Structure formats: structure tokens, C-alpha cells
Amino acid sequence: MILNALRALGGGLRGREVPPRTRELLDRYADEHGGIRDVLAALRDTADLVATRPDAPECLPALRETHRRLTGEVLPHEEAEERQLYPALADPLGSAEATSTMSRAHVEIRRLSDRIGAHLAQAGDGPLRRDQLTDLLAALYGLAAVLRLHLTQEEEDYFSLSPPDPADGR
């Protein structure tokens, strides 16, 4: 947190040399956030459905679809950021530690997604059991909160602060 605060005072990526390849990565992952925000909206809708109508016939299929999107879209995006984007940001941000808070969020996103998957495995062909609901809802709403915060932090700390490339005419 202190490192992020110091970066914020220093202008983040503003005024720092951002190599063209890093800029390309920033643009790529920023573009992907639209799709991740769609999954986030579906996640919140699914959580609301589980909270209000856990016995509804559409509840378990909606939960399965949300989990499929988490594992098929969100987690691969987060893993790719970890492998490609965050190492590329080390030099412009001054150290690899500058992305450690974001890396920790990736771990939490994975952990909560896995918890949802475990509840689906327990439910089998359904319906959801009453004794699952409290923990499942905590995982769903918790993941929605962590993912929303994480996306916002990346957009503010990394994507919006990347200076335009003068050669692009932006």
C-alpha cells in the first residue's frame, strides 16, 4: 500500500519511459477488461439469484455458466497479466514489488473462483443445499467485490497512466 501511495504521488507511469512492447501489453489488457466487466456483471446477477431464489430451476445452470466464464475468461486473463504484463511493468514502475498488491488480488480471485467450483461439485446435479448457501454467497459477493476493486486499481494505476506514444499520434 505504501509503495502504491508513493507511486501515486510520483505520477505512476506518467513521465516514465514505457517501452513500446509494454505499451502494447497495457493496451491489450485494458481492452480485455470490457469482457471481464461483463463477467463481473453476470457474477453479481448470479449472486443475487442464489441469494433470493436458490431453489429456482435456473439457479444452478446460472451458477455453472458464471463459473465457466470465471475459469474460461477471467482466470486466464489474470494468469496472462501475471506472466506478461506485470514483469514488463517492473522497469517503468521501478521494481517487481510495485505489482505485488495486484498479484495478491490474482491469488484471491483464483481462491474464490475455486470455492465456487467446490460448491458446484458438492451440489452435483442440484439443487444447492441450504448449508452451502452462506459460504457460497460469501464467495460470490466477495469475488465480485475483489474483482471490481482489482479492475479499477489496474485501470487507474496502470492502464490510464500509460503515456501515449508520440509515434501513434495519440
Side-chain angles (χ1 to χ4, degrees):
M1 286 244 227
I2 293 171
L3 186 57
N4 284 337
L6 290 173
R7 268 199 349 264
L9 289 173
L13 294 176
R14 284 187 198 156
R16 296 182 191 206
E17 181 95 13
V18 177
R21 175 65 182 137
T22 302
R23 184 173 289 110
E24 289 170 13
L25 290 169
L26 286 165
D27 291 344
R28 171 187 160 195
Y29 290 108
D31 288 345
E32 288 181 9
H33 272 207
I36 302 302
R37 285 197 179 280
D38 290 344
V39 177
L40 176 59
L43 174 64
R44 182 62 191 221
D45 290 345
T46 300
D48 290 345
L49 178 61
V50 172
T52 60
R53 298 183 304 136
D55 296 326
E58 66 271 18
C59 188
L60 199 55
L63 186 59
R64 288 192 196 293
E65 175 61 13
T66 297
H67 187 256
R68 184 197 65 75
R69 292 189 72 193
L70 288 168
T71 59
E73 297 172 46
V74 174
L75 294 179
H77 168 87
E78 302 301 337
E79 290 164 1
E81 282 182 338
E82 198 69 41
R83 280 190 325 272
Q84 297 174 341
L85 179 61
Y86 290 8
L89 288 172
D91 282 340
L93 292 175
S95 76
E97 290 179 15
T99 58
S100 63
T101 302
M102 299 301 181
S103 291
R104 180 60 187 105
H106 289 166
V107 171
E108 187 64 8
I109 291 165
R110 160 72 66 188
R111 186 184 75 77
L112 291 168
S113 296
D114 288 348
R115 265 178 60 195
I116 294 165
H119 281 289
L120 282 168
Q122 286 178 0
D125 291 332
L128 294 168
R129 294 188 331 262
R130 289 279 173 209
D131 65 333
Q132 289 183 270
L133 294 179
T134 301
D135 187 67
L136 177 57
L137 287 169
L140 289 165
Y141 285 121
L143 179 55
V146 169
L147 190 54
R148 180 178 293 110
L149 177 63
H150 179 67
L151 292 173
T152 301
Q153 286 178 317
E154 281 184 335
E155 290 162 3
E156 289 177 0
D157 290 350
Y158 305 147
F159 304 151
S160 69
L161 299 178
S162 176
D165 185 346
D168 287 347
R170 291 192 261 167

